[in-house]
Amino acid sequence: MHLESLLSQLREEINQTSFLISVSGGVDSMVLLHALKELKPMVVHFNHHKRKASIKDEQFVSSFCLNEGLTLIKEDIYITHGNFQSEAHHQRQNKLIQIAKQHHITHVLTAHHLDDHVETLIMQIQQHGNNRLNLGLKETNIIQDIIFYKPLLSI
């Protein structure tokens, strides 16, 4: 499926649904946000403070949201020990659930795409072997009654 037809279908699916988008400021999440901006999603940006460019990403997302009249929630994440990727994922997920529940939002969208799926698949096979079921990322996942949706997973 082409990106534009996928995004058109997505707009129809979530038109009357309350949702938020987790936006890093990277190309993938900005494409998703730009495509859905007219539906006025709530936007959440996480600053992990791991790169010098982190503040520029935050400013870029802030500027976009301000220009488009979108609500933006900025969250700081600091990982001081353990596996950075795993710990950051858990902290982001917990904060997204908390924000969604606080604002009575039912859907959380992220811009994970096919490359992310393949990368996750490879890491899982390296860690657990290929005898594990349901390897890789799922397009939808329900956690604490919040629907996490990765609409770009096939792109």
Side-chain angles (χ1 to χ4, degrees), residues 3-21:
L3 180 61
E4 187 52 46
S5 59
L6 177 102
L7 292 172
S8 178
Q9 178 183 344
L10 178 60
R11 281 186 216 100
E12 289 178 27
E13 286 178 23
I14 62 172
N15 187 24
Q16 300 299 317
T17 303
S18 61
F19 69 101
L20 66 82
I21 301 177

Side-chain angles (χ1 to χ4, degrees), residues 19-25 29-30 33 41-48 57-58 61-62 65 70-77 91-100 102-103 105 107-111 148:
F19 69 101
L20 66 82
I21 301 177
S22 181
V23 178
S24 67
S29 62
M30 291 306 297
L33 178 58
M42 178 175 286
V43 178
V44 178
H45 173 78
F46 294 100
N47 187 338
H48 298 86
D57 291 340
E58 184 175 307
V61 174
S62 294
C65 290
L70 300 175
T71 301
L72 171 65
I73 296 175
K74 296 185 273 187
E75 293 284 340
D76 294 304
I77 292 183
Q91 285 190 33
R92 286 191 307 268
Q93 187 177 76
N94 289 338
K95 287 183 185 240
L96 288 167
I97 290 168
Q98 178 186 6
I99 291 165
Q102 180 182 356
H103 294 278
I105 289 174
H107 290 67
V108 173
L109 277 61
T110 61
F148 283 79

Side-chain angles (χ1 to χ4, degrees), residues 10-153:
L10 178 60
R11 281 186 216 100
E12 289 178 27
E13 286 178 23
I14 62 172
N15 187 24
Q16 300 299 317
T17 303
S18 61
F19 69 101
L20 66 82
I21 301 177
S22 181
V23 178
S24 67
V27 172
D28 307 321
S29 62
M30 291 306 297
V31 165
L32 185 61
L33 178 58
H34 186 269
L36 300 175
K37 66 184 180 184
E38 73 274 3
L39 300 179
K40 299 296 182 190
M42 178 175 286
V43 178
V44 178
H45 173 78
F46 294 100
N47 187 338
H48 298 86
H49 302 278
K50 291 294 279 183
R51 301 175 296 112
K52 288 183 180 183
S54 294
I55 192 67
K56 289 182 181 181
D57 291 340
E58 184 175 307
Q59 291 168 343
F60 179 63
V61 174
S62 294
S63 176
F64 183 89
C65 290
L66 181 64
N67 289 337
E68 297 297 334
L70 300 175
T71 301
L72 171 65
I73 296 175
K74 296 185 273 187
E75 293 284 340
D76 294 304
I77 292 183
Y78 297 96
I79 308 296
T80 58
H81 60 281
N83 179 305
F84 175 82
Q85 294 297 335
S86 178
E87 185 60 29
H89 168 77
H90 289 298
Q91 285 190 33
R92 286 191 307 268
Q93 187 177 76
N94 289 338
K95 287 183 185 240
L96 288 167
I97 290 168
Q98 178 186 6
I99 291 165
K101 288 185 175 196
Q102 180 182 356
H103 294 278
H104 308 287
I105 289 174
T106 57
H107 290 67
V108 173
L109 277 61
T110 61
H112 291 92
H113 51 82
L114 190 56
D115 285 351
D116 297 319
H117 177 66
V118 171
E119 180 182 331
T120 300
L121 182 64
I122 291 168
M123 287 190 315
Q124 289 174 339
I125 289 171
Q126 287 175 337
Q127 292 173 356
H128 308 289
N130 62 356
N131 57 358
R132 188 173 156 221
L133 295 176
N134 298 320
L135 290 173
L137 299 172
K138 294 186 214 173
E139 188 173 50
T140 52
N141 197 12
I142 301 173
I143 304 169
Q144 296 183 31
D145 298 323
I146 305 298
I147 299 168
F148 283 79
Y149 186 35
K150 299 170 183 68
L152 303 181
L153 204 54

